Amino acid sequence: MTAVPAVSRPSARGALAAPPRRKPTVGFGDLVALTVRQHRLAIGLSVLGYVLFGLLIVLSHGHVAFGHWWTFDPKVFTPVPAGLIAVFLGAPLLAGEYERQTNLLVWSQDVTPLRWLLAKLTVLGGLVMVLATLLAIVVNTQTPNGYGGSNYGAFNPLAMFHIVGYETWLPLSLAYAVFGFLLGVAVGGLARRTVTAMGITLVGFVAIRFLIANLLWPWLLAHLIAPIRVTWPIADWITPNPNSASGAGPLDYVLNNQLWLTASGQSVDVPPACYSVQDIKPFGECLIRNGVASSGEAFQPLSRLLAFESVELASYVVLIAICLAITIWSVRRKVSI
């Protein structure tokens, strides 16, 4: 019988001695690079949009005309890019990931959801802050004489308190853009559908901006700090007095320039009997006969501008914190489902 040669087999001991093959870890830089690749189109369009809007401001010199029937100053629309960022960059960020389920691929590579989220917010949020800062600088450099002394057409925000001067303060410009971006991200994390998230974000951004500009801002100007009230005796209308008190300056914010007061200081309306009187002197005599002793105006001086801007900035900081908290909660909730 022929002997069968012995077949050498690797010992179990030798197999165990081989070093295990380890999977390379995914670093934060890898997540940043992935975010840039995923959203390069949105990043490119965002940069292009801000550049074109900045060029429009620089080249228009504050005046864009469509024939003889409509003229406008593009600086008035400075907050609009923040709304576009909210809808087209913020809203699809998480909603698109959930729709395509690309988040599951990343999370399966030993990447925690919060680290994944942090990379996205760092890249895109940083981009938003840079673009908003550059746009605010461009707008401020194109506003002559420190916001005042120029004519902005039909909008006519001559005072620094008005919409152009007020909203181009750099911290507020940043707050508008960051809030819009995080609002879109938070809505996208909850809606999980891109089109739905974009629609809700648009409505929400416009509604919040409207409420702050038309309710909060006027309330702050009227009640946060008591306005200064300057009065003049009606007799000064009849006989001009060079020593009369000075009213609001060109950069102050006038809340009411038609105060009519009795001798006791009570505010009243113009007496009906004086409606048809045209000339100043007869009009003043008519007011005195009907119990109106003085006129005046209420205004907020330019020196208080920073206080009002800071309060509005604080309100946006609160909204930013709420949006960020909702975003983190939605990501954690997605993991647990």
Side-chain angles (χ1 to χ4, degrees):
M1 176 178 288
T2 305
V4 179
V7 178
S8 61
R9 297 180 181 178
S11 64
R13 188 173 182 179
L16 291 176
R21 187 176 181 180
R22 296 182 179 178
K23 182 177 65 175
T25 59
V26 179
F28 190 76
D30 299 320
L31 293 175
V32 170
L34 176 63
T35 300
V36 173
R37 287 198 301 270
Q38 279 185 304
H39 303 282
R40 58 185 179 273
L41 178 60
I43 291 173
L45 291 177
S46 299
V47 173
L48 179 62
Y50 269 85
V51 169
L52 292 178
F53 187 69
L55 288 175
L56 176 64
I57 290 175
V58 173
L59 298 178
S60 67
H61 302 291
H63 182 80
V64 176
F66 290 90
H68 299 285
W69 53 277
W70 189 40
T71 62
F72 70 94
D73 182 351
K75 290 189 288 294
V76 176
F77 299 96
T78 300
V80 171
L84 298 178
I85 285 290
V87 175
F88 294 102
L89 187 63
L93 183 60
L94 295 185
E97 294 274 359
Y98 294 156
E99 276 187 330
R100 297 186 299 269
Q101 295 188 341
T102 50
N103 61 303
L104 299 179
L105 176 62
V106 178
W107 294 354
S108 65
Q109 305 299 314
D110 294 336
V111 176
T112 63
L114 290 184
R115 194 155 68 98
W116 167 79
L117 176 64
L118 177 61
K120 290 186 173 297
L121 296 184
T122 300
V123 174
L124 300 181
L127 173 68
V128 168
M129 294 181 67
V130 170
L131 293 177
T133 300
L134 294 177
L135 181 62
I137 293 174
V138 169
V139 172
N140 289 329
T141 57
Q142 293 299 310
T143 306
N145 301 327
Y147 304 112
S150 60
N151 187 1
Y152 293 113
F155 298 97
N156 198 30
L158 294 177
M160 193 171 180
F161 271 100
H162 282 78
I163 200 72
V164 169
Y166 191 93
E167 293 193 330
T168 54
W169 183 46
L170 180 57
L172 266 182
S173 298
L174 283 173
Y176 297 150
V178 173
F179 163 68
F181 171 67
L182 289 179
L183 174 65
V185 175
V187 172
L190 295 176
R192 303 183 184 180
R193 293 292 183 271
T194 302
V195 176
T196 303
M198 293 173 70
I200 296 175
T201 299
L202 176 60
V203 173
F205 183 83
V206 172
I208 292 174
R209 285 278 306 163
F210 178 84
L211 291 175
I212 290 180
N214 293 277
L215 294 180
L216 177 64
W217 187 45
W219 183 88
L220 292 176
L221 291 173
H223 301 287
L224 178 64
I225 306 175
I228 294 176
R229 191 167 74 169
V230 179
T231 60
W232 303 274
I234 297 298
D236 289 354
W237 288 30
I238 301 173
T239 304
N241 182 4
N243 297 320
S244 295
S246 300
L251 298 182
D252 297 330
Y253 185 84
V254 178
L255 296 169
N256 190 340
N257 62 353
Q258 290 186 335
L259 290 175
W260 309 103
L261 308 171
T262 63
S264 62
Q266 181 181 0
S267 179
V268 296
D269 296 327
V270 175
C274 304
Y275 285 165
S276 59
V277 182
Q278 300 295 327
D279 295 333
I280 293 180
K281 184 175 180 179
F283 181 68
E285 293 173 345
C286 177
L287 291 175
I288 292 175
R289 288 195 303 269
N290 287 272
V292 179
S294 60
S295 64
E297 65 181 11
F299 64 93
Q300 293 288 0
L302 178 63
S303 58
R304 298 177 181 176
L305 176 65
L306 182 60
F308 293 106
E309 288 176 324
S310 299
V311 172
E312 183 169 337
L313 175 63
S315 67
Y316 274 101
V317 170
V318 172
L319 291 173
I320 288 171
I322 293 174
C323 291
L324 186 59
I326 292 174
T327 301
I328 294 174
W329 174 82
S330 68
V331 171
R332 287 180 170 175
R333 176 172 172 264
K334 178 67 177 178
V335 176
S336 61
I337 291 178

